[in-house]
Amino acid sequence: MTRRHVTRFRVEFGDCDPAQIVFFPNFFRWMDAASLQFFVACGMPPWRELAQSDGIIGTPIVDVSAKFLRPATYGDAIDIETSIIEWRDTSFVMRHIICRAAEILVEGQEVRIFARRRPDDPMRIQAVRLPDHLRKLIE
Amino acid sequence: MTRRHVTRFRVEFGDCDPAQIVFFPNFFRWMDAASLQFFVACGMPPWRELAQSDGIIGTPIVDVSAKFLRPATYGDAIDIETSIIEWRDTSFVMRHIICRAAEILVEGQEVRIFARRRPDDPMRIQAVRLPDHLRKLIE
Amino acid sequence: MTRRHVTRFRVEFGDCDPAQIVFFPNFFRWMDAASLQFFVACGMPPWRELAQSDGIIGTPIVDVSAKFLRPATYGDAIDIETSIIEWRDTSFVMRHIICRAAEILVEGQEVRIFARRRPDDPMRIQAVRLPDHLRKLIE
Amino acid sequence: MTRRHVTRFRVEFGDCDPAQIVFFPNFFRWMDAASLQFFVACGMPPWRELAQSDGIIGTPIVDVSAKFLRPATYGDAIDIETSIIEWRDTSFVMRHIICRAAEILVEGQEVRIFARRRPDDPMRIQAVRLPDHLRKLIE
C-alpha cells in the first residue's frame, strides 16, 4: 500500500502573472515543498540534520515532467497529493496530483535522487542509496 | 532551417538553495523568459499589444519536461538555446538547451498554446491557431 | 480599536538561500500576501472583481521598510500580524509583525495606495480614495 | 570618491503580477543581486570561498527601505546603480538607484552586515568587522 501525503497551498496574488493565472514555475516550487512535506510526514529528519548524520543534503531533481490541465488564480486553495510510485537503484519517482477541490489542475512526476557531496569535489553531488533506517520510515 | 535564439542569464545567490545549487523551479522561470525572448527576437509584439490586436494573451504551458544533467550555482553564466521543434494544430513544441560554456546542464521541452480568453468566461482560456501574419515572423 | 489579522506561512526549503536562511525578498512576498489576506478577512472582494465594480486594481506599494531581527529557516512556521496603523488622503500605512512563536523576526511597514489605471494611459496607475462602502469593511 | 557599480536586469513576464507591473519583492531580489555584483566588481571572492578563508558567509540584511516612484513592466531594461554610502562598526549602508533609461523607478537603501556563523551555534549568525585585506578591495 503506497503512502500518500496531501499538502495544501494558497495561491497568492504574487504567484500569478499578467495573464492573471499562476506563473507555471510556481507549481514546481509547490511540488518541491510537497515533496519535502511528504518526507517530513514520514518522520524523516530535516536535511541539515541528515547532512550531519548520513551525509545526505537533499533530494535533487534529475528529471521532471508536468501536464497543466487547468489554470489556477489567486485566492484558490490547492492540494498536492504526493506519493512515491517507483523505487530504483539510487533514485525514485514521485507523483504529485494538484487539485482545486475535485478538479485536477496539474499532474507532475519527478525523478529524484538522495544526494551527498562528492568527497573529491564538494561542489559536485552524487546519488546514494537511501540507508535502510531511513527507507523504513517511508514504506 | 529552424530558427534558434540564445538568451543569457546570470545565476544569482538568491536563485540557489541551501544545497548551494540552483533551486530547480528557477530553470523553468528562465525557460519561460527564453521562450518570450525567442518571440521578441522574431519581431513578435509584446503580449499586451497582441491582446489588443489579436486577442492573444500569451503562450501558456500545457506540458513540460526537463532533464537536469548538471547543477549550476551562483556566479555561473548560463545560455539557453531555444527553438520550436514542432508545430501542431493549436500548439507547438519548444526545446530549450541550457548550457554553461560547453557543458549542457538542462534539456527542457515545452508544449505551449497561443491562448486567448474564452468569450463566455474571461477567467478561462482557450487555444487558438496563430494568425498567419504572426506565424510568418517565426519561420 | 484597530483590526488585526494573522496569516500563517511555512518556510520552505526553496525559500532559503545558500546561507541556509530565508532569502529576504521572500519576507516581502509574504507581507504582500498577508496584506491581501487582511483585506479578504475584512470582506473585501478580490481585485479582479473590484477592477470591474470600482476600477481598483490593487494596492501597490509606494514605500516599504523592514527590520530583520532574527533569521528563519525551512521548517519554521511564521505568523504575520497585519494592521493598518494610519490612513492618509489617498494612501495608508500597514504594519506587519512577523513572528516564529513568541520571537519577533521581522518588523515591516508599507505605505500603499488604492490604485486604478489612468484613463489617459492604462499602463500607468494613479491613487484613488477608497470608496466609503469599501472603507467601512475595514474599520 | 565613492565607488559605484551598475548592474543591468531585464524585467521578465514572470516578474510581473496580475496588475501587469513588477511584483515589488522582485526589486529586492534585484537589489540583492546588484549588491553581490558590486562586491564582485570590487574583486571580492565568492561567499563560498570567503566562508573557507575568512568565515564570512555573506552580507545579510538587517534593515531595508525602498521608495517606489514608477512601476516597471516586462520588456523593460532596468539599471541598478549601487554604492556604499556609510561604513559603521560592523555594518554598512548600501544605496541602490533603479532606473529605466533616465527615469528613476525605485530608490532603495540597505543596512547589511558581514556575517559568520556563531561558533556556539552554527544555525545563528553574528556580525564581524570586514578584514582589512577585503575592505581595501572596496575603497
Side-chain angles (χ1 to χ4, degrees), chain A residues 61-68, chain B residues 61-68:
Chain A
I61 285 277
V62 290
D63 202 314
V64 71
S65 64
K67 285 187 199 310
F68 300 94
Chain B
I61 285 278
V62 291
D63 201 313
V64 71
S65 64
K67 285 186 199 312
F68 300 93

Side-chain angles (χ1 to χ4, degrees), chain C residues 18-21 23-25 28-29 32 57 60-68 71 73 110 112 117 123 125, chain D residues 18-21 23-25 28-29 32 57 60-68 71 73 110 112 117 123 125:
Chain C
Q20 316 284 322
I21 58 177
F23 181 55
F24 83 90
F28 291 106
R29 186 161 62 80
D32 188 77
I57 60 169
I61 285 277
V62 291
D63 201 315
V64 70
S65 64
K67 285 186 199 311
F68 300 94
T73 192
E110 303 172 323
R112 288 175 177 270
R117 301 197 179 285
M123 282 313 295
I125 57 173
Chain D
Q20 316 284 321
I21 58 176
F23 181 54
F24 82 90
F28 291 107
R29 187 161 63 79
D32 188 78
I57 58 170
I61 284 279
V62 291
D63 201 315
V64 70
S65 64
K67 284 186 200 311
F68 299 94
T73 192
E110 304 172 322
R112 289 174 176 269
R117 301 197 178 285
M123 282 313 295
I125 58 173

Side-chain angles (χ1 to χ4, degrees), chain B:
Chain B
M1 174 59 201
T2 310
R3 186 192 274 266
R4 288 161 195 288
H5 183 72
V6 176
T7 314
R8 171 157 285 198
F9 297 89
R10 187 177 53 232
V11 178
E12 309 290 4
F13 184 79
D15 297 326
C16 298
D17 65 20
Q20 318 284 322
I21 58 177
V22 169
F23 181 55
F24 83 89
N26 289 316
F27 283 115
F28 291 106
R29 186 160 63 79
W30 295 322
M31 281 184 221
D32 188 78
S35 163
L36 181 50
Q37 289 304 312
F38 174 89
F39 289 117
V40 169
C42 292
M44 194 84 102
W47 304 136
R48 59 183 162 265
E49 286 180 24
L50 279 184
Q52 303 299 319
S53 61
D54 294 81
I56 291 170
I57 59 169
T59 53
I61 285 278
V62 291
D63 201 313
V64 71
S65 64
K67 285 186 199 312
F68 300 93
L69 307 175
R70 284 179 189 78
T73 192
Y74 59 97
D76 288 350
I78 60 174
D79 289 313
I80 305 189
E81 189 195 78
T82 300
S83 54
I84 293 181
I85 58 170
E86 190 188 336
W87 286 94
R88 298 174 185 170
D89 192 35
T90 59
S91 66
F92 60 96
V93 183
M94 263 192 155
R95 178 177 290 158
H96 302 281
I97 308 294
I98 307 184
C99 294
R100 179 182 49 211
E103 277 186 313
I104 297 182
L105 306 180
V106 180
E107 292 173 356
Q109 202 158 300
E110 304 172 322
V111 181
R112 290 174 176 270
I113 55 167
F114 286 96
R116 65 170 186 193
R117 302 196 178 286
R118 282 175 56 149
D120 56 326
D121 179 356
M123 281 313 295
R124 300 182 64 188
I125 58 174
Q126 65 187 175
V128 289
R129 289 184 62 89
L130 185 63
D132 284 345
H133 70 103
L134 297 172
R135 175 77 180 266
K136 271 184 207 146
L137 293 173
I138 295 165
E139 284 172 319

Side-chain angles (χ1 to χ4, degrees), chain A residues 45-91:
Chain A
W47 304 137
R48 60 183 162 265
E49 287 179 24
L50 279 183
Q52 302 298 318
S53 61
D54 293 81
I56 291 169
I57 59 169
T59 53
I61 285 277
V62 290
D63 202 314
V64 71
S65 64
K67 285 187 199 310
F68 300 94
L69 307 174
R70 283 179 190 79
T73 193
Y74 59 97
D76 288 350
I78 61 174
D79 290 313
I80 304 189
E81 188 195 78
T82 300
S83 54
I84 292 180
I85 58 169
E86 189 187 336
W87 285 93
R88 298 175 184 171
D89 192 36
T90 57
S91 67

